[in-house]
Amino acid sequence: MVRTRFAPSPTGYMHIGNLRTALYAYLFAKANNGKFILRIEDTDTERTVEGVIDIIYKTLKQAGIEYDEGPDIGGDYGPYIQSQRKDIYNHYAHKLVETGAAYYCFCSKERLAQLQESGAPKYDKYCLRNVSLEQARSKIAAGEPYVVRQNIPEQGVSSYTDLVFGEISVDYKDLEDNILLKSDGMPTYNFANVIDDHLMRINYVIRGVEYLTSTNKYNLIYDAFGWERPNYIHLQPIMKDSARKLSKRTGDASFEDFIAKGYLSEAIVNYIALLGWSPKDNREKLSMRELIEAFSIEGISKSPSIFDEPKMRWLNSLYIKEMPPQAFAKKSKPYYDALGLESKFDYETLDKLLQSRVEIMSDIPEKLKFLDEFDNFDLGLFENKKLKTDKMIAKEVLPKLIERLKRIENFDNNSLFENLKEFSAEINLKSSALFWIMRIALTGAQVTPGGATEMAALFGKERALERLQAAYKRL
């Protein structure tokens, strides 16, 4: 059975790149009737941020990425939080020393600093060459601090096949004897992820391309224990432009940020799925079920992807347009309430105007700002060279329009539109010119969420006439 995992560090909000890794691991597992596991890698205690684990749970839930095993739901291979597995790592670290694939190191910070200052390209295996295993055990028994370092062969080449990039080979001389177990007894990522992946039966490891060559070091640990290596799928980064990667460390948007900006979770997930992968039929709008059905390794790109927020806005607009009216109403209400519209407008009418005209929910205040800025609008907006309108024509037309509107009983959009089309012919003015003047006089804006008659219907007869009269007095 296919078993994949997502193993985030609880160091901040869920970055878009991290969420894509989780999504691909989830899609690959589900596309192959497998299991998707959540594991928290919190061994870097200095960078761990309180409360972030709950954010990880919340984000995955919002994104519709359902894990089969994890810290909060359990499973057969727990615990699923690394800080709770310290004894496991210690056991395997000492066992690895016994195989000769690792060794105890007692070098002080001062010696390591001197080694670095001397220009040495990497650690010089001093403790491996000068401290026997028996001596090392005596030092440990005496309470001397130590770390466990991986013993990389000094000659030869390490190779493996990545399912995206093909064969990856690295000369051992280019690899360093990195620390596997720190002096506080906690493992480094280099060691813990191998132990956990093996014990949790992870057979497909999906992660960023930055681990493409270091995977050769991890494979040595598998080999030393006689364990089967997993299959590897490495992903190119998501870029903010041609030169810079998206990064939470530089303040790039997280999943939570985009939700707060009014994006729908389904649209975010849909978009990030396309950042580094494409279905065979090149569809762009896919539900989670459709993503699972279409996902395959063959569609993963070997090139980095550039995050294009306008593209995600466009995709989000498609989801908004297709939302059931009641779902849109639930999303829009907080924005209307914040604008203080509860006693002024029928929310259902606003929804009908806006649902097809916003790309993200936070567009709503911008679409409705004319409601507050009406009193001070620029009278120059009446001028439209294409329609041949200006302030003088508006001053001539508005009194006639006001009188006409007073006589209209059915003040809905359709009735207004048909009536005023007839009226424009009666006064020998193009209907487009009449509606332009009417829109400006009603809203003080050139762009509104709907045409002139829709705006009049929104305001209602009494308020629409008040606005038209106020605009006329200013001319």
Side-chain angles (χ1 to χ4, degrees):
M1 175 186 288
V2 168
R3 288 177 60 86
T4 67
R5 50 77 166 172
F6 175 53
S9 298
T11 56
Y13 289 99
M14 183 78 78
H15 182 252
I16 289 298
N18 286 344
L19 186 59
R20 185 192 64 171
T21 300
L23 177 62
Y24 284 10
Y26 171 75
L27 294 177
F28 182 75
K30 297 308 168 184
N32 291 280
N33 298 311
K35 300 288 186 181
F36 171 66
I37 290 84
L38 173 65
R39 184 174 74 226
I40 302 298
E41 297 194 343
D42 62 343
T43 57
D44 190 349
T45 54
E46 293 183 1
R47 293 182 59 219
T48 297
V49 178
E50 187 176 352
V52 169
I53 293 178
D54 289 333
I55 291 174
I56 293 170
Y57 297 154
K58 178 184 175 183
T59 299
L60 293 176
K61 182 177 180 181
Q62 281 185 291
I65 300 174
E66 300 176 355
Y67 42 94
D68 300 288
E69 302 168 26
D72 57 333
I73 63 173
D76 295 334
Y77 302 97
Y80 294 90
I81 296 180
Q82 283 188 337
S83 58
Q84 299 174 9
R85 299 171 63 84
K86 184 176 179 180
D87 291 344
I88 296 174
Y89 306 129
N90 271 268
H91 168 75
Y92 281 101
H94 295 298
K95 195 171 181 181
L96 196 64
V97 171
E98 293 174 7
T99 70
Y103 57 93
Y104 299 114
C105 177
F106 302 89
C107 289
S108 64
K109 292 181 180 179
E110 290 75 19
R111 183 182 184 277
L112 294 175
Q114 290 174 357
L115 188 65
Q116 188 174 23
E117 290 171 4
S118 71
K122 58 184 180 179
Y123 181 69
D124 58 0
K125 292 181 180 286
Y126 177 85
C127 287
L128 176 67
R129 291 172 175 144
N130 295 281
V131 181
S132 68
L133 184 57
E134 184 179 351
Q135 290 174 321
R137 286 172 175 160
S138 296
K139 286 174 175 285
I140 293 171
E144 191 167 333
Y146 69 94
V147 298
V148 174
R149 286 185 181 274
Q150 186 173 6
N151 184 15
I152 304 290
E154 295 186 81
Q155 295 182 337
V157 174
S158 174
S159 297
Y160 74 97
T161 299
D162 180 84
L163 296 181
V164 174
F165 292 92
E167 186 174 347
I168 305 298
S169 298
V170 176
D171 198 310
Y172 286 136
K173 65 181 177 58
D174 295 325
L175 301 177
E176 184 169 6
D177 290 4
N178 291 118
I179 294 172
L180 302 180
L181 198 70
K182 296 178 284 187
S183 58
D184 62 0
M186 292 299 286
T188 59
Y189 171 86
N190 300 328
F191 187 53
N193 86 90
V194 172
I195 302 302
D196 289 343
D197 285 345
H198 172 73
L199 295 180
M200 294 180 185
R201 306 292 189 266
I202 304 301
N203 50 14
Y204 284 85
V205 172
I206 301 175
R207 60 187 173 208
V209 74
E210 62 269 24
Y211 296 109
L212 190 64
T213 55
S214 58
T215 293
N216 289 280
K217 292 187 294 186
Y218 310 150
N219 284 336
L220 288 173
I221 299 174
Y222 282 101
D223 296 347
F225 285 125
W227 296 342
E228 184 178 353
R229 299 177 182 182
N231 298 285
Y232 295 104
I233 301 170
H234 286 90
L235 310 174
Q236 283 283 18
I238 300 173
M239 311 291 286
K240 66 191 304 179
D241 54 38
S242 60
R244 299 174 295 170
K245 291 195 298 183
L246 281 180
S247 170
K248 64 183 178 183
R249 294 185 182 181
T250 56
D252 289 320
S254 68
F255 179 82
E256 292 269 320
D257 293 331
F258 286 118
I259 292 294
K261 287 172 69 174
Y263 284 90
L264 304 181
S265 59
E266 303 95 319
I268 300 172
V269 169
N270 187 163
Y271 180 66
I272 66 172
L274 302 176
L275 291 173
W277 169 82
S278 58
K280 293 178 181 178
D281 55 9
N282 293 316
R283 280 178 292 165
E284 293 188 297
K285 186 175 183 296
L286 299 99
S287 66
M288 183 67 85
R289 179 179 295 276
E290 290 170 327
L291 287 171
I292 291 171
E293 292 172 352
F295 193 81
S296 67
I297 296 173
E298 292 75 22
I300 296 177
S301 174
K302 294 181 180 180
S303 303
S305 302
I306 295 179
F307 187 85
D308 180 4
E309 189 169 349
K311 178 68 174 292
M312 188 165 76
R313 283 181 65 100
W314 166 79
L315 193 57
N316 197 78
S317 73
L318 301 184
Y319 278 87
I320 288 179
K321 288 180 176 69
E322 294 178 8
M323 290 176 75
Q326 62 270 26
F328 182 80
K330 185 177 181 180
K331 293 280 188 181
S332 63
K333 186 178 185 298
Y335 294 95
Y336 300 153
D337 290 345
L339 293 170
L341 303 181
E342 189 169 6
S343 62
K344 300 176 183 179
F345 297 99
D346 174 44
Y347 283 8
E348 186 176 349
T349 302
L350 287 173
D351 285 343
K352 289 178 180 177
L353 285 171
L354 292 170
Q355 184 167 0
S356 63
R357 293 180 170 95
V358 296
E359 292 186 324
I360 59 176
M361 298 305 295
S362 58
D363 285 344
I364 288 176
E366 177 68 20
K367 295 289 185 184
L368 298 179
K369 71 177 184 178
F370 67 87
L371 298 175
D372 291 327
E373 298 179 0
F374 173 74
D375 291 338
N376 300 311
F377 78 86
D378 180 7
L379 296 177
L381 295 178
F382 283 112
E383 184 172 346
N384 186 313
K385 293 181 179 179
K386 183 179 179 180
L387 299 176
K388 299 179 181 178
T389 64
D390 55 27
K391 289 191 296 183
M392 296 305 296
I393 295 174
K395 189 171 184 177
E396 179 184 344
V397 169
L398 279 176
K400 301 175 184 178
L401 175 61
I402 291 169
E403 290 304 313
R404 182 62 170 238
L405 290 173
K406 286 179 180 178
R407 300 197 299 270
I408 298 177
E409 293 185 6
N410 294 327
F411 221 74
D412 61 89
N413 175 52
N414 291 335
S415 298
L416 287 168
F417 186 79
E418 294 302 324
N419 196 303
L420 293 182
K421 277 189 72 176
E422 294 177 5
F423 174 64
S424 66
E426 292 171 15
I427 62 173
N428 197 28
L429 183 70
K430 287 183 178 180
S431 59
S432 56
L434 173 65
F435 290 139
W436 178 264
I437 292 170
M438 182 178 174
R439 185 210 294 263
I440 300 300
L442 275 171
T443 68
Q446 291 180 322
V447 179
T448 54
T453 54
E454 289 176 294
M455 293 296 95
L458 172 66
F459 288 119
K461 187 171 183 177
E462 182 179 350
R463 198 179 306 158
L465 288 170
E466 288 176 358
R467 284 191 162 229
L468 292 172
Q469 288 165 345
Y472 174 64
K473 289 177 181 179
R474 292 187 60 204
L475 287 168

